[in-house]
Amino acid sequence: MKIIFRKKRTWLILLLISITAASVMLMRERFQMNEVSPTVSFIENDMTNPNGTLATYLQDAVSKEADIVAGREALSESLGLWMQYAIASDNQALFEQSYEQLTTYFLTPPDPYIAWKLDAKGESHVTTNALGDDLRIIGALLQAADQWKQGREAKFATAAAISRALTQSAQQQGYLVDFHDFAGGHSTDTLSLVYVDLPALQAMEKHQMVEPGTYAKYEALLEKMPDDELFYPKTFDVVRKEYTYDDKVNLIDQLIVANHLMVTDRKPDKLISFLKKEFNTRHQLPGQYKRETRTPAVSYESSSVYGLAILLAVRSGDPKWAKQLYNHMITLRGQDSRYPGGYVFDGNTHLFDNLFPLLGEINLQKNIKK
């Protein structure tokens, strides 16, 4: 009897330990998902220049080429993502700060267009835009104008002015293209598919900032684009009407396209199934894959991949997978004790490797609260 009692007592103790551990983990997850992310503090304290612009890299460096970003230079890409976070977190004050950054530093008269890059002092030395960043910012301005009453007309006017610059200058063969040189007066023939921001284009048409039928044209471009039974092309040549693929597939690009497809009838089911299988098998998602063999091309992980995958999981109605991705993603955060909220490796980080995770995190948090 004593032996049986001891066995029962041991079993009960082990059961209680398991329940306690599970409860602690659940409480930890709930705490993390309901608190303001420490990544916000990291961005505000360590990735913000004295003038308020967002630095691209944590460590300073000198840009050796005009078309390559370095050090504390600021990107329109970062501004747009930060605006999206402000909207998702319903932080109007933060959005107003971002809007001031846009109008003070990034808008270049007389058109005005958005300079894609600034130096750390907020001065522009480039004469080109970046379409994907422009559409993201326009979409954010329109969403903010719909979400908050304060400054609504000014935001509509700014969005309309940027839209005019794009439609009047940055089009080839009836398509918006990756960039236009506003000083040289020439545009590329390439449209990167990651730049086809359908939600932004839909909002622009709704507010009569593009011609009727514009959204349908770009929706058809994504719905009818080919694939190799898994991965999407990288670019569309608007003159030759040809799609091109990369031999090495960047998952960030694939996931951005997949997220845009979620508003169409063509869902990225094959990519989602592949990524879920890869994550379950490898317990991680490498940043790049070899297109032909469907095998990892690199050993590193990208926090941006997980942030975008979380967004895709939330939008596809799969909160379980989203939480699994989130729980793995935050193991990459705070590995450098000097920057507890940052995704910092070898003493440095790129800002989008913090902004995309932040967007995934806030959208998962909102989904859980519903």
Side-chain angles (χ1 to χ4, degrees):
M1 293 294 291
K2 288 183 178 179
I3 293 173
I4 294 173
F5 176 74
R6 285 174 183 169
K7 286 184 178 179
K8 286 184 176 181
R9 186 172 64 179
T10 302
W11 180 82
L12 285 170
I13 290 171
L14 290 172
L15 180 62
L16 286 171
I17 291 171
S18 299
I19 292 171
T20 301
S23 299
V24 169
M25 289 179 66
L26 182 60
M27 288 176 65
R28 180 187 174 198
E29 182 178 324
R30 285 178 176 171
F31 172 79
Q32 289 170 333
M33 295 308 301
N34 284 285
E35 293 292 320
V36 175
S37 173
T39 305
V40 174
S41 297
F42 168 70
I43 292 171
E44 292 178 336
N45 296 331
D46 298 292
M47 300 296 292
T48 304
N49 292 318
N51 60 7
T53 58
L54 297 172
T56 303
Y57 288 98
L58 178 59
Q59 299 299 325
D60 199 5
V62 178
S63 179
K64 297 180 181 180
E65 297 182 37
D67 60 347
I68 297 177
V69 66
R72 307 292 292 187
E73 291 180 324
L75 296 178
S76 56
E77 172 189 58
S78 304
L79 181 65
L81 293 171
W82 196 228
M83 283 179 161
Q84 287 184 331
Y85 170 74
I87 291 168
S89 59
D90 199 27
N91 190 334
Q92 186 177 358
L94 181 61
F95 190 91
E96 293 302 326
Q97 292 172 11
S98 300
Y99 180 60
E100 185 177 356
Q101 291 293 312
L102 172 68
T103 55
T104 302
Y105 297 110
F106 282 93
L107 284 184
T108 303
D111 296 308
Y113 68 93
I114 303 174
W116 74 273
K117 183 179 79 163
L118 309 173
D119 66 20
K121 296 179 181 179
E123 297 178 359
S124 172
H125 304 283
V126 299
T127 58
T128 52
N129 67 309
L131 176 64
D133 307 342
D134 297 347
L135 294 180
R136 184 182 289 118
I137 288 172
I138 292 170
L141 289 171
L142 296 178
Q143 193 172 351
D146 288 337
Q147 187 163 320
W148 300 303
K149 292 182 179 180
Q150 180 182 340
R152 175 180 291 177
E153 294 305 318
K155 293 179 180 64
F156 278 137
T158 303
I162 301 168
S163 298
R164 279 196 303 274
L166 289 178
T167 55
Q168 291 174 2
S169 302
Q171 288 199 103
Q172 292 275 66
Q173 302 296 314
Y175 286 94
L176 294 168
V177 290
D178 285 1
F179 67 86
H180 176 76
D181 186 331
F182 284 83
H186 60 83
S187 300
T188 181
D189 294 338
T190 301
L191 172 57
S192 295
L193 295 172
V194 293
Y195 285 175
V196 184
D197 188 336
L198 292 181
L201 289 163
Q202 191 172 38
M204 291 165 71
E205 186 165 326
K206 173 187 172 183
H207 291 286
Q208 301 178 338
M209 293 179 185
V210 290
E211 292 182 1
T214 297
Y215 172 77
K217 179 173 68 173
Y218 289 100
E219 182 183 41
L221 184 69
L222 289 192
E223 284 191 324
K224 296 177 181 178
M225 70 178 168
D227 61 51
D228 65 359
E229 297 302 320
L230 176 60
F231 295 125
Y232 304 116
K234 178 71 176 293
T235 61
F236 176 67
D237 188 308
V238 301
V239 176
R240 297 178 181 178
K241 302 296 188 291
E242 295 176 350
Y243 294 86
T244 58
Y245 292 86
D246 279 344
D247 292 333
K248 288 185 179 179
V249 176
N250 188 317
L251 276 194
I252 292 175
D253 294 342
Q254 295 292 308
L255 284 162
I256 290 175
V257 173
N259 271 286
H260 290 161
L261 279 173
M262 289 305 299
V263 301
T264 74
D265 292 332
R266 180 184 180 178
K267 304 303 184 212
D269 296 331
K270 288 181 288 189
L271 183 64
I272 290 173
S273 296
F274 173 78
L275 294 178
K276 290 179 74 171
K277 183 178 179 180
E278 285 289 287
F279 186 72
N280 289 334
T281 303
R282 302 181 189 279
H283 308 294
Q284 63 171 293
L285 293 175
Q288 294 183 22
Y289 278 80
K290 298 175 185 177
R291 186 167 65 85
E292 288 190 2
T293 62
R294 308 331 200 194
T295 56
V298 295
S299 58
Y300 68 79
E301 296 177 84
S302 166
S303 52
S304 290
V305 164
Y306 292 112
L308 286 163
I310 290 169
L311 283 173
L312 185 59
V314 169
R315 288 166 179 165
S316 62
D318 195 343
K320 181 180 178 181
W321 186 42
K323 290 176 188 177
Q324 291 173 345
L325 291 163
Y326 169 79
N327 287 332
H328 180 77
M329 182 181 76
I330 60 174
T331 66
L332 305 177
R333 185 172 67 190
Q335 292 192 6
D336 190 321
S337 59
R338 296 170 296 176
Y339 309 103
Y343 294 86
V344 180
F345 306 95
D346 298 323
N348 206 2
T349 187
H350 193 294
L351 187 56
F352 71 53
D353 280 329
N354 297 272
L355 288 170
F356 280 125
L358 190 59
L359 283 172
E361 187 172 356
I362 187 64
N363 279 276
L364 175 57
Q365 180 178 330
K366 289 174 65 176
N367 181 264
I368 288 173
K369 288 180 178 179
K370 287 182 180 179

